Amino acid sequence: MGLNKQYDGYYAYSYVDNSEFDTVELIDPSGQWIPMELVPLTEEQEARAKRLMEESIVISLHEHACLFPKDMHNNVAYKHSGRQFMAYQALANSCLDAVFDNMMDGTCVITSKNGWKWTDIIHDLGMRLCDVAQQKFVIRGATVDDIVRAHNEGKLAFVPALEGPGPIENEVERIDVLYGLGVRQMGISYSQSSLLGGGIQEERDGGLTMLGRKAIRRMNEVGMLIDCSHAGDLTTMETIQESKKPIMLTHVGARALWDSKRLKGDEVIRMLADKGGVVGVEAAPHTTITRNNRVHSIDSVMEHFEYLVNLVGIDHVAFGPDTLYGDHVGLHKAFSSHLAVKNTQSKDSFTHVEYVRGMENPTEASLNIVRWLVKHDYSDADIQKVIGGNALRVLKEVWH
């Protein structure tokens, strides 16, 4: 259905009297805290882009699809409330049919200042699923059929995901619990090393642990997608080898274009593709910069995209922009210790931006990815692969 979303105006948690819980002032429900900048197209290109959005299944492999506070200094109080407000109206203005939503993740500090606690993650997930259950536009995305249904009916499939395994601690059975509660993708580590394997923030990557290998087997068995976007290179390669199913790097870029631990080297990406996996291109502030484009924007993001296509082929590339509705740079500043961004960025000089032009939030990113591909004359078949088809292929193999 693309742009023809069947949205009825529902606002997050409007089923309950807001006076019952503490809130902070959030950005506008439209999700725009700065003006949206669309890739300019000719009249003919506009028509083609619209048709592709309507005909194609569009999936974002990684987002945080919620409204954030106007003032990011209020983010801790927002998280303590235990209720993140899904951006229903803003998402209805996108062309997304499915979104892998990583919820509070490392900023899930409902009861703990360090986050990632089991009870906090369950609280976060339960609140979101309760809210989703009160309306009809967003549906739970647990199967490939759910994503197809969302596309056919003008709805949006919400796929809960976790960037790291911290909440499971040393309890592999918690993977079963998370799957039962709707989580369909989980990372092996979140920058800092976990009990499963090494993270990108560490000086040395020790690879997969025995518990990590056990967890991978369980994720394969229940049908949960594995992600290594924040895992170290050795841990990533060992995960690819250990898993009986393809894995994804849901939100990364090419280290060959920008020397940052946050990105992946050619050897890792080739190994991923050889086992049938997919790499999603990242767009969070100050990640997918390039030596040619040191001011982060859609131009640098798409340079990473084209490099990856040339490296492993169009069948193994997708998009996981890792965006949100609010001041993403401000979030990084406010939560730097929780998000583990230290020691992962390049030592090379680059221009710090207030936001990533053309890829600022899930709505703008979804529209502009299609528009950029049309503007650069990619074929319909190739566009449909990278905006959703490649992801669906892997999900059909991994999910039960």
Side-chain angles (χ1 to χ4, degrees):
M1 295 289 286
L3 302 175
N4 302 313
K5 295 290 190 291
Q6 303 302 303
Y7 170 62
D8 61 3
Y10 179 81
Y11 185 73
Y13 303 110
S14 58
Y15 67 88
V16 67
D17 182 354
N18 284 356
S19 65
E20 293 185 11
F21 51 90
D22 294 331
T23 59
V24 299
E25 187 178 8
L26 305 180
I27 66 167
D28 187 84
S30 69
Q32 303 302 315
W33 68 284
I34 54 170
M36 186 158 60
E37 298 182 50
L38 293 178
V39 172
L41 299 177
T42 66
E43 186 175 342
E44 182 179 357
Q45 290 171 333
E46 286 278 4
R48 182 173 175 235
K50 182 179 180 182
R51 174 179 59 79
L52 282 164
M53 292 177 197
E54 291 174 348
E55 294 178 354
S56 312
I57 292 180
V58 185
I59 301 172
S60 173
L61 290 173
H62 191 96
E63 303 286 10
H64 300 270
C66 289
L67 301 173
F68 277 72
K70 281 187 175 181
D71 182 350
M72 280 296 182
H73 290 97
N74 292 327
N75 215 0
V76 173
Y78 181 42
K79 304 302 183 180
H80 278 324
S81 74
R83 296 174 187 263
Q84 263 197 326
F85 285 55
M86 181 174 274
Y88 293 99
Q89 179 183 328
L91 290 165
N93 292 326
S94 75
C95 61
L96 292 169
D97 297 301
V99 58
F100 281 68
D101 193 318
N102 289 259
M103 304 180 296
M104 293 190 194
D105 261 356
T107 66
C108 192
V109 291
I110 299 169
T111 64
S112 165
K113 67 179 182 180
N114 292 315
W116 288 114
K117 301 301 181 288
W118 173 253
T119 53
D120 285 12
I121 295 294
I122 298 303
H123 183 107
D124 181 21
L125 179 61
M127 280 292 185
R128 292 287 298 281
L129 290 176
C130 178
D131 186 50
V132 166
Q134 309 304 316
Q135 50 77 63
K136 297 179 180 179
F137 165 53
V138 172
I139 64 172
R140 293 177 65 166
T143 66
V144 170
D145 287 345
D146 291 332
I147 295 176
V148 175
R149 175 193 158 203
H151 171 74
N152 290 338
E153 297 181 3
K155 297 182 178 181
L156 177 74
F158 161 63
V159 184
L162 287 175
E163 290 193 65
I168 73 168
E169 298 176 331
N170 63 342
E171 305 286 349
V172 172
E173 285 71 22
R174 286 184 177 179
I175 293 172
D176 305 54
V177 176
L178 289 171
Y179 184 90
L181 295 174
V183 175
R184 291 295 181 269
Q185 176 254 302
M186 186 172 74
I188 294 298
S189 63
Y190 184 62
S191 294
Q192 296 172 342
S193 291
S194 71
L195 291 177
L196 308 189
I200 58 173
Q201 190 179 20
E202 309 294 350
E203 293 297 326
R204 288 181 290 181
D205 176 8
L208 277 178
T209 63
M210 291 301 295
L211 181 65
R213 295 177 191 278
K214 208 174 166 185
I216 287 169
R217 289 195 295 273
R218 184 59 58 87
M219 291 169 77
N220 285 166
E221 288 164 351
V222 301
M224 186 180 289
L225 178 66
I226 298 170
D227 180 29
C228 281
S229 296
H230 287 270
D233 285 1
L234 177 60
T235 295
T236 301
M237 291 189 286
E238 290 185 351
T239 299
I240 294 167
Q241 292 171 335
E242 184 75 20
S243 179
K244 294 181 180 178
K245 303 286 186 177
I247 77 162
M248 290 196 199
L249 300 171
T250 64
H251 56 298
V252 298
R255 194 178 297 153
L257 297 183
W258 190 247
D259 186 16
S260 165
K261 285 177 139 186
R262 186 64 189 77
L263 310 177
K264 297 298 183 188
D266 287 2
E267 180 183 7
V268 175
I269 296 165
R270 286 196 189 99
M271 183 181 293
L272 175 87
D274 288 344
K275 291 275 303 260
V278 165
V279 53
V281 183
E282 161 84 84
H286 308 126
T287 55
T288 41
I289 309 167
T290 73
R291 296 179 187 88
N292 295 327
N293 289 289
R294 292 174 185 253
V295 178
H296 202 189
S297 70
I298 190 171
D299 294 325
S300 54
V301 173
M302 299 310 282
E303 188 178 343
H304 279 268
F305 164 75
E306 294 200 303
Y307 180 89
L308 293 168
V309 169
N310 290 331
L311 180 69
V312 293
I314 198 78
D315 293 328
H316 299 284
V317 186
F319 291 92
D322 190 9
T323 60
L324 50 85
Y325 295 101
D327 181 0
H328 204 159
V329 173
L331 174 69
H332 283 177
K333 291 176 180 177
F335 272 87
S336 61
S337 61
H338 298 79
L339 298 174
V341 296
K342 296 177 181 177
N343 303 323
T344 63
Q345 292 186 340
S346 173
K347 294 181 174 61
D348 293 336
S349 63
F350 61 94
T351 301
H352 287 263
V353 296
E354 294 183 2
Y355 60 93
V356 182
R357 291 187 63 181
M359 300 285 281
E360 194 278 324
N361 60 52
T363 300
E364 184 176 80
S366 67
L367 299 175
N368 272 342
I369 286 167
V370 178
R371 296 173 70 89
W372 191 97
L373 293 167
V374 166
K375 185 180 182 74
H376 289 79
D377 206 27
Y378 279 77
S379 70
D380 284 10
D382 284 350
I383 292 174
Q384 290 176 321
K385 285 180 179 181
V386 299
I387 64 176
N390 292 337
L392 276 180
R393 185 193 74 245
V394 173
L395 295 179
K396 286 175 182 177
E397 188 169 351
V398 175
W399 285 359
H400 295 164

